[in-house]
Amino acid sequence: MARSSSAKPPSTKGGSHTPPKPKNKVKKHNDDYTSEGVQDNDIFLLPVSDYQVMLVLTIVGAIVRLFRIYQPTSVVFDEVHFGGFASKYIKGKFFMDVHPPLAKLLITLFGWLAGFNGDFDFKEIGKDYLEPGVPYVAMRLFPAICGIFLVPTVFLTLKAAGCRTATAALGAAFIIFENGLLTQARLILLDSPLVAATAFTALAFTSFTNQHEQGPSKAFDASWWFWLVMTGLGMGITVSIKWVGLFTIAWVGILTLIQLWVLLGDTKTVTMRIFAKHFLARAFCLIIIPTTFYMAMFGIHFLCLVNPGDGDGFMSSEFQATLNNKGMQDVPVDVAFGSRVTIRHVNTQGGYLHSHPLMYPTGSQQQQVTLYPHKDDNNIFLVENQTQPLGPNGEPINGTHAWDNAKNITENYVKDGDIIRLYHLATHRRIHSHDVRPPITEADWQNEVSAYGYEGFAGDANDLFRVEIVKKQSLGPVAKERLRTIQTKFRLVHIMTGCVLFSHKVKLPEWASEQQEVTCAKGGTLPNSLWYIESNAHPALPPDAEKVNYVNPGFFGKFWELQKVMWRTNAGLVESHAWDSRPESWPILRRGINFWGKDHRQIYLMGNPIIWYTATLAVVIYVLFKGIAVLRWQRSCNDYSNVNFKRFDYEIGTSVLGWALHYFPFFLMQRQLFLHHYFPALIFAIMAFCQIYDFATARLAIPGVRENPMVNKAGVIALLAISAVVFALYSPLAYGNAWTKAECNRVKLFNTWDWDCNTFLENYDAYSTLGSTPTFSQTPQPAAGDKQPPAQQPPAGNNQEAPNAGISGAPKFEPQGQRVIGREERVEYRDQNGNILNEEQVKALEGKVEFKTKYETRTRVIDANGNEVEVPVEELAAAGVAPPHPDVQGANQETKKLVKDDPIPKEASSSKDGEKEAERSIPKPASEGNEATV
């Protein structure tokens, strides 16, 4: 924003000042904060012809985005996640995602209105929509509407910035013909709503800035307030879709601070009272409104997700207790010898100490002790003293029920420093540790924890643990002195070895039902060795005994806890992905993302090179301009006395600042990053290019250009035509249309554009016969993260087991004169020497060895009489090679690798012999664990 300097009034030759006549006012500088060279660009007061142009562009944008929106008819890329979230919203099952809920809620609304009941699970890329009758078109319609809305939004933003109609039309056309924006807008993804919300915020703030720069005469009028409120609302919408909206908030915040700084310097028209009004108006609209909107979206989120689900394991016990069937009755607060208790781990999402009648395959081969996330009979332990109680005659009372009839239970309260044993009621074994390495974490400082003994066995010294209350973590003075249900946090120190009962984010294999490892750690960290008692019962406690329950965290407690979990989970998405990329590659469009492949078609996220490179060029031009301008300013060149020079610097600088704030922060992130993270920055770069073009052809005093509007229009037509042609060339990758190898190779300019042209057939006629021929294809991975807590990502091999999803293989070889009458797939198990194993041998090896998957294609050619025809290997190889699976190529080596102990464990599989376990024995789809996304 340029603030004008005051100037002295003109004087006559005689020295006396004669005021000019009103009809012929002399142009003078303003004495207030009004900016020079600014006109009223209210978008509600445009000529009718401008609205007609905008309407035509919007219709074209709608046609482009809705064309064949029904294809593909199967799950594409991150529809695995966001479609799955819609299912969970409708079912009310709590899930955890790293993104705020607004866009997911609206996708769910569109699906629900179309009749979606949430039964479809979206569990894998390529899963068919048609047979189960999923209203996927309706769900894709919301991102498509956002993509359509983006067209008039960019048009109006450029008009609000003072651009000519032709220039504004160019910006809108760039949005229409940008292949990457098109691809995102046709699928159940969040980036199209995000970009639309970002653009709307830019429109609102640009319009507000235009009103503000017209000076005190416009301050606090209806239009001024309207656009300020819309800016705050746009900020709230943007940040409620993805946290990338924080970059938009930073953009608005920096420019608002500049406005306030200019206001503070206007000592003639802006008193401190007026300045306070400006400040408070902005504080309310740009802080209170977006914050309230953001929190309201989480309020709706909590109202929808009232049932337990796969994501509640990420949350605290207090949070989980607010979900249906997760709450519990008030329980006695005092813990005594003889109490039946369940013990929860504090740090790893509150799993229960658990045992079941399965043995470790290595080490002591005693009964397993694990951490299990659900309530179950196998979680119940009896708290025993190290010695049995004495009867009236001073003789020990034997048996596990010896404490049930205690006359004075207060004498049996478990206090800090007491030595106890934990007796597992279901299997009659005690928690036990010894100097044996655990089966997974085979570290010298870790000891195995097992359940040892039998009914009637008195136990041994390795069953003894000392209660060590952690007073800083315990609530209330009594809870710091003795064990109290929920209130006391404590450690269990093994008497014989000095190690502490410990659990961490490491899963045991299938032989332990994939539950979490429990060990005894020497010097274990406090968070991972901290426990508390959740439920407590004792026969000797009277009915009116003091009781306790979880404190309801309320909305604000749940809201703040979820924000922290989202932040930690988002920061943990550091595992490399097959199609990730780093920020330095985005402005030059180095590579895209493989979304889907099937039936010799592909969807590959790819930008329009013309639009992409012109947008990047605009940023480079401004950076060079600013560098030269600063050097000339240092040399006292009076460039900034020129109004157009100042307006160019401020207006283009505003857009480039938006680009920078939406781009450079990604360099600080070690998490998974993808090309689509660049789209908000791309919008600002496109607007910067259009503004530079408008200055060059309509505002700067270039001879023969500014006076001739046809120069501006001719350039617009040329750029529009080129971008439309390039769009058409790459459109099969956006729509998933039929394409040929030759056409694919012709437009593949760089090796880093890594879609596979072998996917496509030789000519279009071959697609007409494709329907009767089954195809086998490979599956691209859904993005984890800007998607999903790493804890809940599916095993690496899951995608490979979906042969009909992903990148199609090369065309099948058919020798001249022969025809393929059938194809089959089968799985063979071989040992290390290549010998085929039969079913009995495979079954005997299950759980004892690890099977590795190797894909191999073999072709058997049979003539019309059923006789096998020998075909040279060279001919088969010449028929084409199926593209490598994305799991084995293309991962960006700069992405930080995930440390094995970092992720939150995937939900544990069922244990044995418990109430919950039979219910949970049904296999779950892999993607249910894949909750958070990029």
Side-chain angles (χ1 to χ4, degrees):
M1 181 185 310
R3 183 189 170 206
S4 60
S5 58
S6 59
K8 295 179 180 180
S11 58
T12 60
K13 290 182 180 181
S16 61
H17 169 60
T18 304
K21 295 181 180 180
K23 291 185 180 180
N24 299 304
K25 288 184 179 181
V26 176
K27 183 179 179 180
K28 64 175 183 177
H29 293 292
N30 299 294
D31 291 332
D32 52 39
Y33 64 87
T34 303
S35 296
E36 294 181 87
V38 175
Q39 298 178 344
D40 189 356
N41 297 320
D42 192 337
I43 62 171
F44 293 119
L45 302 176
L46 298 177
V48 175
S49 59
D50 283 358
Y51 296 119
Q52 292 172 340
V53 171
M54 184 181 71
L55 179 61
V56 170
L57 290 167
T58 305
I59 293 172
V60 174
I63 293 172
V64 169
R65 274 151 179 75
L66 297 178
F67 176 70
R68 294 181 178 176
I69 195 173
Y70 56 83
Q71 73 178 26
T73 59
S74 58
V75 179
V76 178
F77 198 57
D78 277 353
E79 289 186 338
V80 166
H81 306 308
F82 303 118
F85 295 150
S87 297
K88 291 176 174 62
Y89 270 126
I90 291 174
K91 296 294 185 181
K93 294 182 178 180
F94 186 83
F95 63 87
M96 225 303 294
D97 182 33
V98 298
H99 302 306
L102 176 57
K104 299 190 291 286
L105 285 167
L106 292 173
I107 289 170
T108 303
L109 177 63
F110 273 68
W112 179 76
L113 291 174
F116 183 48
N117 59 10
D119 289 339
F120 188 78
D121 55 23
F122 298 85
K123 71 177 182 179
E124 60 187 17
I125 295 174
K127 188 171 183 179
D128 182 56
Y129 285 135
L130 298 181
E131 184 177 352
V134 181
Y136 70 100
V137 173
M139 298 173 75
R140 289 176 179 174
L141 194 60
F142 169 64
I145 290 173
C146 292
I148 296 167
F149 173 75
L150 182 62
V151 175
T153 302
V154 170
F155 178 89
L156 292 174
T157 303
L158 290 171
K159 290 297 297 182
C163 294
R164 285 188 178 182
T165 301
T167 306
L170 175 64
F174 273 6
I175 299 300
I176 295 172
F177 296 122
E178 211 300 293
N179 298 64
L181 294 173
L182 168 66
T183 305
Q184 290 285 338
R186 293 170 47 81
L187 302 170
I188 307 172
L189 303 174
L190 304 188
D191 294 280
S192 182
L194 172 68
V195 172
T198 303
F200 174 76
T201 306
L203 166 63
F205 189 71
T206 302
S207 297
F208 170 74
T209 299
N210 178 253
Q211 296 297 307
H212 167 78
E213 288 191 305
Q214 293 177 62
S217 62
K218 290 286 187 176
F220 305 109
D221 66 5
S223 181
W224 188 94
W225 274 110
F226 175 80
W227 287 118
L228 186 59
V229 170
M230 287 298 102
T231 301
L233 184 61
M235 291 161 60
I237 293 172
T238 306
V239 79
S240 296
I241 296 172
K242 277 189 176 184
W243 278 353
V244 174
L246 293 172
F247 305 152
T248 309
I249 292 175
W251 177 69
V252 172
I254 290 172
L255 295 176
T256 300
L257 290 176
I258 294 174
Q259 291 178 358
L260 291 173
W261 183 253
V262 172
L263 286 169
L264 192 62
D266 185 356
T267 57
K268 294 186 177 180
T269 61
V270 180
T271 63
M272 290 309 297
R273 178 175 174 275
I274 293 177
F275 179 81
K277 287 178 62 178
H278 277 278
F279 179 84
L280 292 175
R282 287 165 170 81
F284 175 78
C285 293
L286 303 183
I287 297 176
I288 304 300
I289 289 179
T291 301
T292 303
F293 185 91
Y294 180 77
M295 297 180 70
M297 294 304 101
F298 279 93
I300 299 172
H301 179 75
F302 293 145
L303 288 174
C304 292
L305 303 180
V306 295
N307 299 318
D310 297 332
D312 55 29
F314 288 90
M315 314 309 297
S316 69
S317 301
E318 289 81 3
F319 190 108
Q320 293 182 39
T322 64
L323 302 174
N324 292 339
N325 303 321
K326 278 280 189 174
M328 65 179 189
Q329 298 294 325
D330 292 349
V331 293
V333 68
D334 291 307
V335 180
F337 294 117
S339 289
R340 283 75 168 168
V341 300
T342 58
I343 302 174
R344 297 195 73 164
H345 194 233
V346 172
N347 198 39
T348 54
Q349 287 66 50
Y352 294 91
L353 188 66
H354 178 94
S355 188
H356 45 226
L358 292 175
M359 307 301 164
Y360 290 119
T362 60
S364 68
Q365 299 186 346
Q366 295 172 4
Q367 184 169 295
Q368 299 168 7
V369 173
T370 64
L371 212 64
Y372 183 59
H374 301 288
K375 294 181 179 180
D376 188 87
D377 284 346
N378 281 334
N379 304 337
I380 301 175
F381 292 87
L382 178 75
V383 181
E384 297 181 323
N385 197 351
Q386 61 176 329
T387 58
Q388 294 294 108
L390 301 178
N393 301 325
E395 296 293 327
I397 303 175
N398 295 320
T400 55
H401 300 284
W403 289 272
D404 289 358
N405 300 315
K407 294 182 180 179
N408 187 2
I409 194 172
T410 58
E411 295 178 356
N412 292 326
Y413 286 158
V414 181
K415 298 179 287 296
D416 187 22
D418 282 353
I419 297 175
I420 66 170
R421 298 180 297 181
L422 293 174
Y423 181 84
H424 191 239
L425 289 173
T427 61
H428 307 289
R429 291 182 169 93
R430 293 178 178 86
I431 298 296
H432 182 92
S433 187
H434 39 221
D435 192 15
V436 175
R437 300 290 77 76
I440 300 300
T441 308
E442 298 179 351
D444 290 339
W445 54 277
Q446 295 270 27
N447 288 343
E448 178 191 82
V449 174
S450 63
Y452 176 69
Y454 51 86
E455 190 171 6
F457 177 62
D460 63 23
N462 280 330
D463 301 338
L464 300 178
F465 290 85
R466 184 178 68 253
V467 175
E468 185 181 282
I469 293 177
V470 181
K471 293 180 171 54
K472 290 184 178 179
Q473 301 283 345
S474 301
L475 302 176
V478 180
K480 300 178 191 298
E481 301 300 327
R482 68 173 190 257
L483 283 190
R484 303 262 288 181
T485 307
I486 296 177
Q487 298 174 356
T488 301
K489 304 299 187 296
F490 61 91
R491 304 205 305 169
L492 291 174
V493 183
H494 191 243
I495 296 298
M496 298 301 292
T497 63
C499 60
V500 293
L501 196 66
F502 179 91
S503 186
H504 52 166
K505 301 167 185 176
V506 172
K507 280 176 52 181
L508 296 169
E510 290 184 4
W511 49 256
S513 302
E514 296 184 336
Q515 296 174 17
Q516 188 167 312
E517 183 181 49
V518 173
T519 65
C520 196
K522 300 171 185 176
T525 57
L526 184 65
N528 285 336
S529 61
L530 207 58
W531 306 83
Y532 71 96
I533 292 172
E534 181 185 76
S535 66
N536 172 30
H538 197 294
L541 285 171
D544 60 347
E546 182 183 358
K547 291 182 170 58
V548 72
N549 208 330
Y550 287 117
V551 177
N552 190 322
F555 168 75
F556 291 102
K558 292 172 64 177
F559 170 81
W560 183 242
E561 179 181 343
L562 185 55
Q563 304 308 300
K564 292 189 289 185
V565 172
M566 289 166 61
W567 178 270
R568 288 197 304 266
T569 306
N570 193 38
L573 296 175
V574 296
E575 188 173 6
S576 183
H577 187 279
W579 299 99
D580 66 1
S581 54
R582 301 308 301 171
E584 60 270 15
S585 69
W586 298 341
I588 58 175
L589 196 61
R590 188 172 185 271
R591 77 179 306 214
I593 311 172
N594 181 30
F595 271 15
W596 174 91
K598 193 175 182 181
D599 297 333
H600 300 284
R601 302 165 191 254
Q602 275 194 68
I603 291 182
Y604 184 95
L605 184 67
M606 173 68 184
N608 186 320
I610 297 298
I611 297 171
W612 215 273
Y613 295 148
T614 52
T616 302
L617 176 64
V619 174
V620 173
I621 289 173
Y622 177 77
V623 170
L624 293 175
F625 161 82
K626 189 66 177 179
I628 295 172
V630 169
L631 291 175
R632 288 177 57 82
W633 172 80
Q634 182 66 13
R635 296 296 299 169
S636 299
C637 298
N638 200 23
D639 296 327
Y640 282 92
S641 63
N642 184 290
V643 173
N644 279 336
F645 190 93
K646 284 192 293 186
R647 296 310 304 172
F648 183 94
D649 186 22
Y650 178 73
E651 292 178 16
I652 313 302
T654 297
S655 296
V656 173
L657 177 66
W659 170 86
L661 289 174
H662 287 80
Y663 174 59
F664 286 114
F666 287 106
F667 283 92
L668 305 177
M669 301 181 189
Q670 297 299 318
R671 55 152 294 171
Q672 285 180 359
L673 296 173
F674 298 88
L675 181 66
H676 58 72
H677 287 117
Y678 185 68
F679 285 142
L682 178 65
I683 297 301
F684 284 99
I686 289 174
M687 290 192 293
F689 173 79
C690 293
Q691 289 173 294
I692 291 174
Y693 177 82
D694 195 72
F695 268 93
T697 60
R699 297 174 69 174
L700 297 180
I702 300 176
V705 176
R706 184 170 63 177
E707 296 79 11
N708 187 359
M710 288 306 299
V711 174
N712 176 269
K713 295 178 180 178
V716 167
I717 292 172
L719 288 169
L720 198 157
I722 294 171
S723 63
V725 169
V726 174
F727 163 81
L729 291 175
Y730 292 97
S731 62
L733 293 174
Y735 290 114
N737 287 341
W739 215 13
T740 66
K741 288 183 182 180
E743 292 177 351
C744 174
N745 285 312
R746 188 179 303 119
V747 298
K748 192 173 182 180
L749 304 181
F750 306 106
N751 292 332
T752 54
W753 292 359
D754 48 359
W755 67 84
D756 185 21
C757 290
N758 287 328
T759 297
F760 305 102
L761 300 180
E762 298 290 349
N763 54 70
Y764 290 105
D765 293 336
Y767 284 93
S768 60
T769 60
L770 189 62
S772 60
T773 305
T775 60
F776 303 106
S777 46
Q778 298 171 319
T779 309
Q781 297 176 353
D786 293 335
K787 312 177 209 175
Q788 184 110 335
Q792 297 185 336
Q793 292 178 355
N798 283 2
N799 288 343
Q800 298 175 4
E801 295 173 7
N804 291 326
I807 308 174
S808 302
K812 303 300 180 183
F813 173 71
E814 298 188 13
Q816 190 68 26
Q818 312 292 341
R819 66 187 182 90
V820 176
I821 59 174
R823 294 189 174 95
E824 63 180 24
E825 260 194 337
R826 65 176 179 176
V827 177
E828 293 179 350
Y829 292 91
R830 296 175 181 266
D831 61 16
Q832 66 272 22
N833 299 318
N835 301 315
I836 297 178
L837 304 177
N838 58 36
E839 292 183 5
E840 294 181 358
Q841 291 172 315
V842 172
K843 190 172 183 181
L845 291 172
E846 285 182 354
K848 300 178 181 178
V849 299
E850 178 183 1
F851 291 100
K852 293 188 177 180
T853 304
K854 178 181 179 182
Y855 290 89
E856 185 173 320
T857 302
R858 298 179 181 179
T859 303
R860 229 170 29 116
V861 181
I862 301 175
D863 62 19
N865 299 322
N867 301 315
E868 186 169 347
V869 178
E870 293 291 338
V871 181
V873 176
E874 293 77 8
E875 292 185 35
L876 291 174
V881 179
H885 192 281
D887 283 347
V888 298
Q889 73 162 16
N892 194 298
Q893 298 304 313
E894 296 179 28
T895 302
K896 188 176 179 181
K897 303 296 182 187
L898 182 65
V899 179
K900 190 173 183 179
D901 191 38
D902 282 347
I904 299 167
K906 188 169 76 175
E907 183 178 333
S909 301
S910 304
S911 181
K912 309 296 178 193
D913 298 344
E915 294 177 357
K916 187 75 180 175
E917 290 145 349
E919 173 189 338
R920 299 189 56 80
S921 61
I922 303 172
K924 300 294 181 182
S927 63
E928 281 201 356
N930 226 356
E931 297 305 352
T933 55
V934 282

